[in-house]
Amino acid sequence: MEPTDRKRPTIYDVAREAGVATSTVSRALTNPGRVNARTRDRVVEVAQQLGYRTNPLAQALPSGRTRTVALLVSDVTNPHFFGIIRGAEQQTRAAGCTLILADTEESPDLEAAHIERLSGSVDGFVIAASRMSDQQIGELTDRHRLTLISRQVTGVPSAIVDHEDGTRQIIEHLASLGHRSVVYAAGPRRSWLAAKRWHAIRAVTRKLGLSATRLGPFPPAVRGGAAAADAALGQGATAVIAHNDLLAIGMLRRFTDREVHVPRDISVVGYDDIFGADFCSPPLTTLAGQFDEAGRLAIDLLLGTRDGTRPPQADNQVVLPSHLVVRGSTGRAPS
């Protein structure tokens, strides 16, 4: 019989070949301290010879841990999440665990459904850009172990990039170029970040004596750019801040179609500094942050210390620095 035709070896095969009970095999492979060294070595040797691999879910029965973590993102096609996924995967691997990824498609109902469906198979959840309400997240925290990225809820561990200070940098940059008013092309109604960014825009523009107008919501994707660009032109805007880079890129395309020159006629700024933001025409001015680090920190906050405990709640809401990357999509306000 060819190797590819053989049945996968089971714990019963290992027990028979090693001449021990199946319970002894289980203890030797999952809790070796409870088996004498000679027996343990024999079981491990036989398991290796047979090519036996333990089942993570079976291992979880005595320990209560699967060594698996779920990462939920609101739109897996958005390059913004690439860094978060990379950082989370690296940290999960370093902890000896496995990361699984789920796309929630901007739906709070799908977020909750994923959590309930996977709850018996993972040790906890990291949710990036959650669209659920604070109350929903709080209720889930009572039953499941979870941390947040790009979202803050009282009492729930989280890692975010400092969008308040980042928004200040954006407004001050535009003001230095002579812009006296800005338009914000907002993202989804359920987006916590969209609300926080608008709040920061209003606060900074008031402080500097500028005016601000909110338009939208628009889909946080390139396809939403055309409607956002048309709305901004209808307002007579000289500077527009898009909810994210994908929306900003869509707006740049629409401005080109309408023969509106960027930045001579209008300046455009995005958020996230995604891969490709500097490939646009013109290259996009955008707010950058340590999103890889946010992914790593979220895993640390979820898994806690080596003994499985969490750090104190007061230290669990981490804010990472942000910085404005100035490129060719912003310029002096039209005279």
Side-chain angles (χ1 to χ4, degrees):
M1 183 180 292
E2 293 297 322
T4 53
D5 296 329
R6 294 173 184 164
K7 290 183 179 181
R8 184 175 179 178
T10 68
I11 193 171
Y12 300 102
D13 298 325
V14 177
R16 183 174 60 254
E17 291 295 323
V20 298
T22 55
S23 59
T24 302
V25 174
S26 177
R27 286 194 297 271
L29 298 177
T30 62
N31 196 356
R34 296 182 58 192
V35 180
N36 70 67
R38 185 175 180 179
T39 301
R40 181 182 67 242
D41 292 345
R42 172 60 178 161
V43 169
V44 170
E45 179 184 6
V46 170
Q48 290 175 345
Q49 290 175 350
L50 296 178
Y52 174 72
R53 297 290 182 271
T54 56
N55 185 325
L57 292 181
Q59 282 185 287
L61 293 177
S63 67
R65 297 191 64 187
T66 65
R67 306 201 67 79
T68 304
V69 174
L71 171 61
L72 279 56
V73 299
S74 59
D75 180 5
V76 75
T77 66
N78 187 341
H80 161 63
F81 293 108
F82 293 173
I84 290 174
I85 294 170
R86 183 186 303 111
E89 197 282 328
Q90 290 172 346
Q91 202 68 9
T92 304
R93 177 159 32 94
C97 299
T98 300
L99 183 75
I100 62 174
L101 179 65
D103 182 11
T104 63
E105 302 176 22
E106 302 281 350
S107 168
D109 295 334
L110 191 52
E111 282 183 48
H114 277 317
I115 291 173
E116 293 303 328
R117 187 178 301 114
L118 294 170
S119 60
S121 304
V122 300
D123 292 334
F125 299 88
V126 175
I127 311 176
S130 176
R131 300 301 186 233
M132 291 187 291
S133 67
D134 287 4
Q135 180 179 348
Q136 286 176 295
I137 292 173
E139 291 173 352
L140 286 171
T141 304
D142 292 337
R143 304 194 304 275
H144 307 287
R145 192 167 187 170
L146 62 86
T147 59
L148 305 173
I149 299 176
S150 299
R151 177 69 182 272
Q152 286 182 327
V153 175
T154 302
V156 182
S158 62
I160 68 168
V161 168
D162 193 341
H163 290 278
E164 290 189 12
D165 183 70
T167 299
R168 176 193 58 78
Q169 296 175 48
I170 293 173
I171 300 300
E172 290 180 350
H173 169 64
L174 294 173
S176 73
L177 296 171
H179 295 278
R180 304 306 301 165
S181 64
V182 298
V183 162
Y184 175 51
R189 293 186 188 278
R190 292 190 177 99
S191 170
W192 179 84
L193 276 180
K196 296 294 288 185
R197 287 168 179 166
W198 173 236
H199 177 79
I201 289 170
R202 286 195 303 172
V204 179
T205 52
R206 286 172 181 169
K207 182 178 179 180
L208 298 179
L210 279 61
S211 64
T213 303
R214 177 175 179 167
L215 301 176
F218 301 102
V222 173
R223 70 178 186 276
D230 290 346
L233 292 175
Q235 289 287 326
T238 65
V240 58
I241 304 170
H243 171 74
N244 65 7
D245 286 350
L246 290 179
L247 183 60
I249 291 169
M251 296 181 75
L252 291 177
R253 291 182 178 180
R254 180 61 170 173
F255 289 140
T256 298
D257 292 342
R258 293 191 57 172
E259 298 183 351
V260 176
H261 188 276
V262 178
R264 183 188 63 204
D265 301 323
I266 190 169
S267 290
V268 180
V269 183
Y271 283 91
D272 299 338
D273 193 27
I274 63 172
F275 175 79
D278 54 343
F279 299 163
C280 306
S281 181
L284 182 65
T285 295
T286 180
L287 188 72
Q290 301 173 5
F291 296 107
D292 289 50
E293 182 65 10
R296 285 190 286 268
L297 280 170
I299 295 298
D300 279 346
L301 291 170
L302 181 72
L303 298 180
T305 57
R306 290 183 183 272
D307 63 1
T309 61
R310 275 187 177 173
Q313 286 288 340
D315 299 330
N316 278 357
Q317 294 197 332
V318 181
V319 179
L320 297 167
S322 59
H323 64 278
L324 184 66
V325 180
V326 178
R327 298 192 181 105
S329 66
T330 50
R332 292 189 177 278
S335 58

